[in-house]
Amino acid sequence: MHVPDGFINAPVSAAAGLVAAGAVAVSLRGARRELDERTAPLAGLVAAFIFAVQMLNFPVAAGTSGHLLGGALAAILVGPYTGVLCIAVVLLMQGVLFADGGLTALGVNITVMGAVTVLVAYGLFRGLVKILPRTRRSITVASFVASLVSVPAAAAAFTAIYAIGGTTDVPVSKVLTAMVGVHVLIGIGEAVITTATVGAVIAVRPDLVYGARGLTAPLKLRVGGELVDATPAPAAAPVAARSTKKVWATGLVTALVLAGFVSFYASASPDGLEKVAADQGIDKKAEDHATADSPLADYGISGLTDARLSGGLAGTIGVGATVLAGTGVFWAVRRRRTDDARTGSRTEETV
């Protein structure tokens, strides 16, 4: 659902850019509360993993493919504010390095693929977790439903933006029907990928899943006919499992394999937006990408004739660039939180 330049007119693209900038600013502030020493590097890894999985287009209908949007996955793993930042980093890397998603449409893409998917998915996820039993199965069920709904919600959000600033005169009702219809199917794939990933992390390190915090209900004892909270057991001594190095290394290797090797076997069919745009004619005024001459444009290495090698190297570079950029951003956010805390402590001591 990477919107290219020319689909949306300049004024509405600029307005979407302001909305996206606001969402990023709010998320930078909110992410300070979500990130700590362990989760800051993992957030960069989540961004890189989403970049890699987005290269794996899967067939959803005749001549149409889909790929992960990632908003639900990021929000559940590292928190909604950090999730928006993850998607923003991915979209920035894709737009600048790989000519995927227009630069003037970057605000539209961050709003639709980042803010909307995270808001819808995490809001629905938290609502389901509150009413379902407090179990790991509930987390995976809530993840499935939330990610499934977030994709057609994003399609509807794009249609709303198109209704305001579309550069063609295709009836909005036709665009909405086509977009939501195909993205419901894509949402199923999104739900499967999100649920499998969240389930895999919960199975080995539930403490690292933001959406699973507080999953274990406090132990209750019956005293005098009433249930009271049991005295918590002493904290266990730090063990190797507390380290995130193994999880980080495993996740990075997985992302590199997906982007550098598995992506070669991804569907070559146009994705949902591309297919709808071609069928309905909303791509008539699409513009060439500003970085179309980039040596990494279209996820290949300029000058390399071997498609497998070209795509694999481009994917590997993309994962590396995304994990570095993402980790840098999240460490900076985490450091800002630490600096603020120190400033507050000094202020209190002075008072």
Side-chain angles (χ1 to χ4, degrees):
M1 201 186 293
H2 293 73
V3 180
D5 295 321
F7 275 28
I8 307 298
N9 63 34
V12 174
S13 294
L18 292 176
V19 173
V24 169
V26 171
S27 297
L28 283 169
R29 190 173 187 85
R32 297 181 200 172
R33 300 190 298 271
E34 295 173 347
L35 296 170
D36 54 32
E37 290 82 358
R38 295 183 306 159
T39 56
L42 289 176
L45 176 62
V46 169
F49 182 80
I50 290 172
F51 174 92
V53 180
Q54 283 194 0
M55 294 182 66
L56 308 181
N57 281 47
F58 49 85
V60 295
T64 310
S65 70
H67 63 71
L68 182 81
L69 297 187
L73 177 62
I76 294 167
L77 288 180
V78 293
Y81 294 109
T82 307
V84 171
L85 298 180
C86 283
I87 302 302
V89 168
V90 171
L91 291 171
L92 184 61
M93 293 295 103
Q94 292 171 332
V96 172
L97 297 179
F98 299 94
D100 188 10
L103 294 184
T104 63
L106 182 60
V108 174
N109 285 320
I110 291 176
T111 299
V112 172
M113 296 177 64
V116 171
T117 57
V118 167
L119 282 172
V120 172
Y122 198 72
L124 183 55
F125 173 82
R126 293 308 307 174
L128 290 172
V129 167
K130 287 182 178 180
I131 63 176
L132 292 173
R134 297 164 66 91
T135 64
R136 294 182 182 182
R137 184 182 296 274
S138 297
I139 297 295
T140 56
V141 170
S143 299
F144 186 94
V145 176
S147 51
L148 172 62
V149 175
S150 71
V151 177
F158 165 77
T159 306
I161 294 174
Y162 173 81
I164 300 171
T167 55
T168 56
D169 57 358
V170 179
V172 174
S173 59
K174 293 180 63 177
V175 176
L176 178 63
T177 300
M179 283 293 291
V180 172
V182 71
H183 283 89
V184 166
L185 300 177
I186 294 173
I188 297 173
E190 177 104 6
V192 170
I193 295 170
T194 300
T195 303
T197 305
V198 171
V201 179
I202 284 183
V204 294
R205 291 296 301 272
D207 59 302
L208 296 180
V209 178
Y210 184 89
R213 293 180 179 179
L215 177 63
T216 304
L219 179 63
K220 299 282 188 179
L221 295 178
R222 186 174 296 278
V223 178
E226 296 183 358
L227 290 176
V228 298
D229 291 338
T231 303
V239 293
R242 289 289 179 181
S243 172
T244 61
K245 292 181 179 179
K246 184 178 293 186
V247 174
W248 196 91
T250 301
L252 181 60
V253 169
T254 301
L256 289 171
V257 170
L258 292 175
F261 177 73
V262 181
S263 63
F264 180 77
Y265 301 97
S267 172
S269 299
D271 67 20
L273 176 59
E274 292 172 333
K275 180 65 172 175
V276 171
D279 289 349
Q280 303 298 330
I282 64 176
D283 60 351
K284 293 179 181 178
K285 295 186 179 181
E287 301 172 1
D288 292 335
H289 200 283
T291 62
D293 295 328
S294 165
L296 296 173
D298 296 324
Y299 300 94
I301 303 293
S302 178
L304 277 182
T305 56
D306 188 311
R308 185 191 298 271
L309 180 61
S310 177
L313 285 176
T316 300
I317 292 171
V319 168
T322 304
V323 76
L324 288 174
T327 301
V329 168
F330 298 124
W331 268 120
V333 172
R334 170 60 186 164
R335 178 171 295 181
R336 179 65 179 275
R337 172 185 173 178
T338 303
D339 292 343
D340 289 346
R342 289 174 179 170
T343 301
S345 297
R346 285 196 295 267
T347 302
E348 290 176 1
E349 290 173 1
T350 302
V351 174

